[in-house]
Amino acid sequence: MTPDVLVVGGVSRALDGTLADHGLEVAAVDGFATGAQLSDAGVADATSLLVTDLDQATVIPVAKDQNPELTVVTYDEQALPEFATRQTDFALDPALIEPELLVAEIL
């Protein structure tokens, strides 16, 4: 399976249902993501990386090294660390953007 979206940091029930409703193939990395886990999950062929826990923001440059064309979206209330800003396409706050809008317009 080649994922459309690779999720790091966990998926809420609302977000999971919305991803499925839009027919997106999703792979998730549980726990703290490593380069090997990203590779095993299919990051090289994924279209988007969705980071839902910015405590794992270090995964962004690792994922971009494996797939420079990857669209990176963060979806967390925390502020995006400065080191990851240049490699992140969209930094979104779930309190402001509903899962439906995120999936329909961004992913």
Side-chain angles (χ1 to χ4, degrees):
M1 171 185 85
T2 299
D4 297 307
V5 181
L6 179 59
V7 180
V8 173
V11 181
S12 69
R13 182 172 291 152
L15 184 56
D16 188 40
T18 304
L19 290 164
D21 288 348
H22 284 268
L24 295 171
E25 291 291 330
V26 178
V29 176
D30 295 323
F32 193 80
T34 66
Q37 288 173 314
L38 293 173
S39 181
D40 291 345
V43 71
D45 298 316
T47 304
S48 301
L49 173 70
L50 177 60
V51 181
T52 60
D53 179 357
L54 287 178
D55 287 338
Q56 294 201 49
T58 55
V59 77
I60 295 169
V62 175
K64 289 293 273 191
D65 281 347
Q66 293 186 35
N67 182 348
E69 300 301 315
L70 196 63
T71 298
V72 176
V73 179
T74 63
Y75 193 60
D76 192 8
E77 293 175 353
Q78 296 181 59
L80 180 65
E82 188 170 334
F83 74 84
T85 58
R86 290 186 180 207
Q87 294 177 310
T88 300
D89 298 289
F90 300 96
L92 305 170
D93 185 335
L96 302 174
I97 304 292
E98 295 292 325
E100 178 65 34
L101 183 62
L102 167 69
V103 174
E105 299 296 328
I106 307 292
L107 296 178

